[in-house]
């Protein structure tokens, strides 16, 4: 006689098998889940370019803080607020946008807010005052917040659970590496053309992406009613706007991302991610100018290379070990369990996140003991590797756990990450100069490693916890009924 536990597993497997059959056989002709792979990946790459710019643009000024401070008559610390204020607004603003994205779709928001981002970058580039610079950065941060808040949801619109790891990895790489590429370009741009051109270049690139979005970025949110209406219209699909889902936006919709925090499968991975990402990436940005100037005596171009290249290489290697590997693991699990895909299988890559702490602690030691810069660079690459694993694992696991709320999950992840990273500029460098880089970076490494431990328990108990907590009561009609069944 089967036990209750065996019966639950059997029931779950049956549901998953029905879901997989539904995904193949019951898709509407216009459902994004059924689009050709080339089209899906084009959208992912274009959306990831928006995401890269959202992360790259604020960090391009990092190597030039000293120059900005001199020209605008402020301190270097005040100049650095132009980056931290961007991080804050880009993290918080998607809270106010997600309800509209779940009713009116993704495409209008990508286009409208990219226009706002361009206006913000132009304001920052042309402003003669510090106040104007900050105002422009706030506007551009709000404009750039859309891909950060909706990127994961856009991928869930396009891909089923067993296909999601690789595209989510591409998006995660864009999220992580924008700030790493930025100083490489920003250092040389500021040195040759002046710091204002860091903002002009951002405005130009966003303009190119806007043109591509207008003519080639389709709506990915799906409903049958909307699809039939569009099909019967004389206007081209890309020129049709309006509600995708015929429902009203309620005041409570704006709080759904915050309500997601009550779910253990969201909160625990998000805490791990926000800590390890902040200590594996932004911490080098806010301390790097000081280190490169005082320890290594680099110029602006060399500073940009040191801050960007090691982390970029580390994250590339990390993603090569994350997205597609995650898909392979979960699909292999499904073959052995009659098509059932357990979200917790994504967490098998978790031990690699500890490399963030290894790289962080050894980096601090290298700086305190004035080791050659190449050793410090290798330590940064190791930290970048672990950071990329943390990013991909968090996004894929959380979205797999609550697929019908993937837009809210994405906003929640981005919010926590941004709020935690916003504060790093206020304590990382003062603490390092006060107690030494070895102790300061060692402390941060220990905190990062400690946040990984609770996530290990989700590998064994996460599925049971999710079943006991249930799913959010507020449900958006996302992608399609078939799509909804695939991820929960």
């Amino acid at each position: 006689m089967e036990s209750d536990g065996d019966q639950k597993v059997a029931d779950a497997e049956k549901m998953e098998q029905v879901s997989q059959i539904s995904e193949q056989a019951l898709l509407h002709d216009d459902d994004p889940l059924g689009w050709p792979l080339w089209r899906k990946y084009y959208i992912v790459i274009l959306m990831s370019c928006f995401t890269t710019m959202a992360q790259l643009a604020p960090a391009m000024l990092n190597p030039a803080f000293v120059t900005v401070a001199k020209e605008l008559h402020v301190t270097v610390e005040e100049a650095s607020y132009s980056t931290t204020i961007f991080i804050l607004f880009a993290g918080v603003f998607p809270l106010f946008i997600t309800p509209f994205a779940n009713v009116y779709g993704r495409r209008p928001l990508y286009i409208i807010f990219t226009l706002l981002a361009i206006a913000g970058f132009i304001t920052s580039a042309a402003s003669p005052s510090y106040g104007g610079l900050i105002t422009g950065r706030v506007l551009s941060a709000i404009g750039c917040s859309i891909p950060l808040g909706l990127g994961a949801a856009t991928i869930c619109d396009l891909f089923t659970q067993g296909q999601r790891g690789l595209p989510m990895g591409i998006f995660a790489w864009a999220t992580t590496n924008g700030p790493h590429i930025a100083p490489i370009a920003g250092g040389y741009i500021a040195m040759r053309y002046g710091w204002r051109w860091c903002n002009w270049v951002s405005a130009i690139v966003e303009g190119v992406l806007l043109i591509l979005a207008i003519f080639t970025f389709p709506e990915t949110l799906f409903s049958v009613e909307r699809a039939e209406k569009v099909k019967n219209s004389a206007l081209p699909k890309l020129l049709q706007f309006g509600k995708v889902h015929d429902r009203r936006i309620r005041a409570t919709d704006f709080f759904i991302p915050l309500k997601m925090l009550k779910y253990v499968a969201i909160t625990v991975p998000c805490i791990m991610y926000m800590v390890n990402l902040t200590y594996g990436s932004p911490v080098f940005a806010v301390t790097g100018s000081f280190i490169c100037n005082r320890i290594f005596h680099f110029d602006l171009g060399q500073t940009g290379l040191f801050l960007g290249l090691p982390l970029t290489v580390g994250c590339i290697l990390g993603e090569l070990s994350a997205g597609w590997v995650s898909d392979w693991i979960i699909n292999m699990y499904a073959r052995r369990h009659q098509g059932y895909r357990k979200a917790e299988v994504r967490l098998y890559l978790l031990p690699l996140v500890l490399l963030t702490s290894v790289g962080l602690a050894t980096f601090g030691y290298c700086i305190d003991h004035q080791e050659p810069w190449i050793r410090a660079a290798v330590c940064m690459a190791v930290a970048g590797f672990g950071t990329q694993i943390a990013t991909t694992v968090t996004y894929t696991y959380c979205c797999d756990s609550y697929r019908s709320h993937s837009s809210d999950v994405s906003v929640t992840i981005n919010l926590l990450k941004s709020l935690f990273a916003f504060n790093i500029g206020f304590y990382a460098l003062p603490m390092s100069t006060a107690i030494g880089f070895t102790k300061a970076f060692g402390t941060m490494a220990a905190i990062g490693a400690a946040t990984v431990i609770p996530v290990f328990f989700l590998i064994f108990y996460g599925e049971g916890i999710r079943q006991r907590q249930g799913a959010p009561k507020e449900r958006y009609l996302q992608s399609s009924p078939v799509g909804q069944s695939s991820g929960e």
Side-chain angles (χ1 to χ4, degrees):
M1 184 173 182
E2 289 183 331
S3 66
D4 291 341
D6 292 337
Q7 185 61 45
K8 286 182 179 179
V9 172
D11 292 343
E13 289 173 350
K14 282 184 179 179
M15 292 175 63
E16 185 65 21
Q17 290 177 52
V18 170
S19 170
Q20 297 300 315
I21 294 172
S22 297
E23 288 173 6
Q24 298 298 321
L26 302 180
L27 291 177
H28 188 279
D29 290 342
D30 292 325
D31 193 328
L33 288 172
W35 288 351
L37 274 180
W38 69 265
R39 190 181 188 191
K40 294 183 181 183
Y41 274 100
Y42 171 78
I43 295 169
V44 170
I45 291 171
L46 181 56
M47 181 269 296
S48 296
C49 287
F50 277 109
T51 306
T52 299
M53 282 304 301
Q55 299 288 65
L56 182 149
M60 285 184 73
L61 276 182
N62 290 358
F65 284 155
V66 175
T67 307
V68 174
K70 287 180 180 179
E71 183 172 332
L72 299 183
H73 309 292
V74 296
T75 65
V76 175
E77 183 178 357
E78 288 172 329
S80 71
Y81 294 160
S82 63
T83 295
T84 53
I85 202 74
F86 192 109
I87 294 172
L88 179 64
F89 275 85
V92 172
F93 200 78
L95 279 172
F96 307 103
I97 293 302
T98 302
F100 295 96
N102 289 326
V103 173
Y104 290 93
R106 325 300 191 198
R107 172 178 160 81
L109 297 181
Y110 277 105
I111 293 173
I112 293 170
F113 281 86
T114 300
L115 283 169
L116 181 61
I118 293 171
F121 288 128
I122 292 174
T123 301
S124 295
S127 176
S129 67
Y130 177 71
L133 171 66
I134 296 298
T135 299
R137 300 291 268 186
V138 170
L139 291 176
S140 54
I142 293 173
C144 287
S145 67
I146 297 305
L148 298 175
L150 298 181
T154 303
I155 289 172
C156 288
D157 293 341
L158 296 167
F159 295 91
T160 58
Q161 185 182 15
Q163 303 171 329
R164 209 172 290 154
L166 179 56
M168 198 71 79
I170 295 172
F171 166 69
W173 188 90
T175 302
T176 307
N177 282 273
H180 304 161
I181 300 171
I184 300 175
Y188 285 102
I189 291 173
M191 185 169 59
R192 184 161 185 176
Y193 301 105
W195 65 268
R196 294 181 183 276
W197 268 96
C198 292
N199 289 304
W200 286 119
V201 169
S202 297
I204 293 169
V205 175
E206 287 282 352
V208 173
L209 294 177
L210 175 63
I211 293 172
L212 290 174
I214 290 173
F215 292 104
T216 66
F217 196 107
E219 180 55 64
T220 61
L221 187 65
F222 177 78
S223 71
V224 174
E225 295 79 7
R226 164 76 171 174
E228 294 300 323
K229 182 179 179 181
V230 168
K231 183 182 294 186
N232 296 326
S233 174
L235 287 173
K237 291 181 180 180
L238 291 176
L239 295 181
Q240 297 188 45
F241 296 93
K243 285 187 174 182
V244 177
H245 293 301
D246 189 17
R247 64 179 294 273
R248 290 185 300 172
I249 297 175
R250 302 165 297 177
T252 55
D253 293 344
F254 294 93
F255 298 97
I256 294 176
L258 297 179
K259 292 180 180 179
M260 298 302 295
L261 292 173
K262 75 178 184 179
Y263 297 100
V264 175
I266 299 296
T267 303
V268 171
C270 280
I271 292 174
M272 180 272 293
Y273 168 63
M274 74 179 188
V275 173
N276 282 275
L277 177 79
T278 300
Y279 291 160
S281 181
V283 70
F284 298 113
V286 298
T287 60
S289 293
F290 176 88
I291 292 170
C292 291
N293 183 41
R294 298 289 183 88
I295 307 299
F296 300 130
H297 309 293
F298 288 162
D299 60 26
L300 282 178
Q302 292 170 326
T303 297
L305 284 172
F306 180 78
L307 293 180
L309 194 56
L311 290 171
T312 302
V313 171
C315 287
I316 290 174
L317 296 176
E319 190 49 49
L320 290 174
S321 308
W324 73 271
V325 177
S326 178
D327 276 346
W328 180 79
I329 292 174
I330 199 169
N331 288 327
M332 287 296 293
Y333 182 91
R335 290 179 187 177
R336 296 175 181 176
H337 295 80
Q338 299 179 341
Y340 175 56
R341 289 175 171 85
K342 186 169 73 170
E344 282 69 27
V345 175
R346 301 276 192 189
L347 301 177
Y348 288 176
L349 294 174
L350 202 62
L352 295 175
V353 177
L354 295 172
L355 289 174
T356 303
S357 295
V358 173
L360 191 65
T362 51
F363 178 86
Y365 176 87
C366 289
I367 300 305
D368 255 355
H369 292 79
Q370 298 191 10
E371 298 285 342
W373 65 266
I374 187 63
R375 295 183 183 177
V378 171
C379 295
M380 292 172 68
V382 172
F385 185 100
T387 299
Q388 189 60 46
I389 298 293
T391 304
T392 301
V393 166
T394 300
Y395 272 101
T396 52
Y397 172 68
C398 291
C399 287
D400 278 1
S401 296
Y402 299 98
R403 187 257 183 244
S404 63
H405 277 264
S406 58
S407 57
D408 299 307
V409 169
S410 184
V411 168
T412 303
I413 295 172
N414 183 56
L415 174 66
L416 293 183
K417 177 259 294 183
S418 299
L419 291 177
F420 193 79
F422 169 74
N423 293 289
I424 190 68
F426 297 106
Y427 66 85
L429 187 56
M431 180 172 67
S432 298
T433 54
I435 66 175
F437 282 88
T438 301
K439 292 182 180 178
F441 277 63
T443 300
M444 290 185 281
I447 294 172
T451 63
V452 178
I453 297 173
V455 189
F456 272 112
F457 287 94
L458 290 179
I459 295 177
F460 307 101
Y461 305 110
E463 184 178 37
I465 292 173
R466 286 190 291 114
Q467 289 175 351
R468 285 194 295 272
Q469 288 194 298
K473 292 181 180 179
E474 302 90 344
R475 292 179 60 85
Y476 294 122
L477 297 175
Q478 213 162 304
S479 283
S480 67
V482 171
Q484 283 183 2
S485 69
S486 67
E488 300 188 69

